[in-house]
Amino acid sequence: LSVINSTMIKTIFFGSSEYSVIILQQLLRLPDFDIQAVFTKPDKAVGRHQTITPNPVTIFATKNHLPLFQPEEFDDQLRTTLRQFQPDLGLVVAYGPPYFTQDMIDIPTHKIINIHPSPLPKYRGATPGPWQIINGETTSAVTFFQIDALPDHGPIITQIPLKITPTETAATFYQKAFTLAATNLEPVLKSYLTHPNSLTPQDHTQKSYFPKFTKDTAKIDWNWSPVKIDRFIRALQPWPIAWTYVINQQHQTLKMKLFSATIADNQLIPQLVQIEGKKPTPWSEISKYYTIKKS
């Protein structure tokens, strides 16, 4: 037993989303990896009633009795805690800021690995899924890379290709990308730990970055082609949901969310919509009562 224990790979994990859980769940299944600690965001107030809610990683770690830390920031106390674990490897998946400083990255013997759902250096940043869909990309990749002090900038371990389908939403894309990463987690990490220096620097001249969405930037631009608007609607599922203004029969201007659409005769036809203050409804049932404001 002591021989096995001496070769266990002591691992610390950072993540905060439902997609982080896909990887954490797989890591927990790997017999050679010992999860020393899980780091995630503090519980926060969610929704109209501002209910204090733990994120998916907190829920998973608690249920599986993994040592859990929810730091507000990366301070000296946290660095001290990390050093006490004497980790071999760090793994970060959909954690977000605060960003890792080089002294933190250097704590694990084999640094910290990130899994990013784009073919880096393209689509750096927090919203790679939606923008690849909006821009009409048909192929993507999951990138395993060693982080450095700049976001999504470090050298690449490997890239695993995947397709973007014509009906892809951000939710289906991320589910597919992180499931693919989980399937390949063991061979990729073991290969990296065996050959920690066979890394490929990113070609920074090829980098691209697109901004995060807000509810304001989810407004549809009717100057775009119907095909691009359809991609935009799919890309903003499940959040923040594409929307536009409509005018009702009383000449009031209201907001309308578009959950889905189709294209016929080069026209965008809304499918499932939601007028503010009402329930989601098929557009075909209410279209005669509303006019979409396209300018």
Side-chain angles (χ1 to χ4, degrees), residues 28-48:
L28 192 56
R29 291 190 189 115
L30 303 181
D32 297 332
F33 290 81
D34 178 21
I35 301 171
Q36 300 269 294
V38 172
F39 295 85
T40 192
K41 304 289 182 192
D43 299 351
K44 64 176 186 187
V46 172
R48 191 174 297 173

Side-chain angles (χ1 to χ4, degrees), residues 71-83 98 104:
E72 291 281 355
E73 56 184 344
F74 291 164
D75 55 13
D76 288 342
Q77 188 187 347
L78 180 74
R79 281 186 274 275
T80 304
T81 305
L82 286 179
R83 286 194 187 93
M104 267 189 83

Side-chain angles (χ1 to χ4, degrees), residues 220 222 229-230 233-234 237 242 244 256-264 267-275 279-287 292:
I220 292 168
W222 291 102
I229 295 171
D230 172 57
I233 292 167
R234 288 187 282 106
Q237 284 278 18
T244 190
M256 181 176 82
K257 290 179 179 176
L258 282 82
F259 296 98
S260 56
T262 53
I263 294 169
Q267 293 289 315
L268 184 97
I269 319 288
Q271 294 293 309
L272 188 65
V273 303
Q274 184 177 16
I275 308 282
K279 289 190 164 68
T281 315
W283 174 244
S284 56
E285 288 178 18
I286 59 166
S287 57
I292 293 176

Side-chain angles (χ1 to χ4, degrees), residues 10-24:
K10 292 192 285 186
T11 310
I12 50 175
F13 184 89
F14 297 82
S16 60
S17 86
E18 62 195 288
Y19 305 115
S20 315
V21 173
I22 297 174
I23 304 297
L24 181 56

